[in-house]
Amino acid sequence: MERPLNKRGRRDADLMALRLKEHGATFKTIFASPARRTRETITRMLLSLPSQDTQLTFDQSFYTFERDGLLQTIRQLNDKLFDVMIVGHNPAMLETLCWLTGAPIDTFPTCAAAHLTLGQSRWTKIRKSSAQLRWVLLPER
């Protein structure tokens, strides 16, 4: 929980902020684990970008390493939210990504990002293979 970002993590966070922006990602609504490395990643990303009106929520529910726990938390999101960024931990992130999209994604390393489009407007309705994978960005190694 209190492990800080290392040098590579700081570099990847700065790089990924710019790559996400280039791919059209927004930083308007972010839900994240309160782990120190997650807080540091988001702070670095937001500082690397022009000022934005960001609603940032650190929630203990996102500090999970299990797909079912992450899905339960996602299903409780407010249905008025349509553009959400979730920052969490593996293996929950990779397993949730594969479950939601049905895509065989082999790797989703630290600081990777994926853009999904949901086929319905209610978070409670998400089901297996109910999302379309638009893209996956991996940090340069």
Side-chain angles (χ1 to χ4, degrees), residues 38-83:
T38 305
R39 295 187 320 263
E40 289 177 4
T41 297
I42 293 168
T43 299
R44 291 187 74 86
M45 291 178 118
L46 292 176
L47 289 174
S48 297
L49 300 168
S51 180
Q52 299 185 41
D53 183 24
T54 301
Q55 178 186 335
L56 175 57
T57 304
F58 293 105
D59 186 320
Q60 187 67 34
S61 300
F62 290 96
Y63 186 71
T64 183
F65 301 91
E66 297 178 6
R67 180 192 74 199
D68 290 344
L70 184 56
L71 284 169
Q72 180 180 356
T73 300
I74 292 169
R75 286 183 175 125
Q76 295 173 12
L77 294 177
N78 185 326
D79 287 336
K80 293 180 182 178
L81 299 174
F82 292 99
D83 192 356

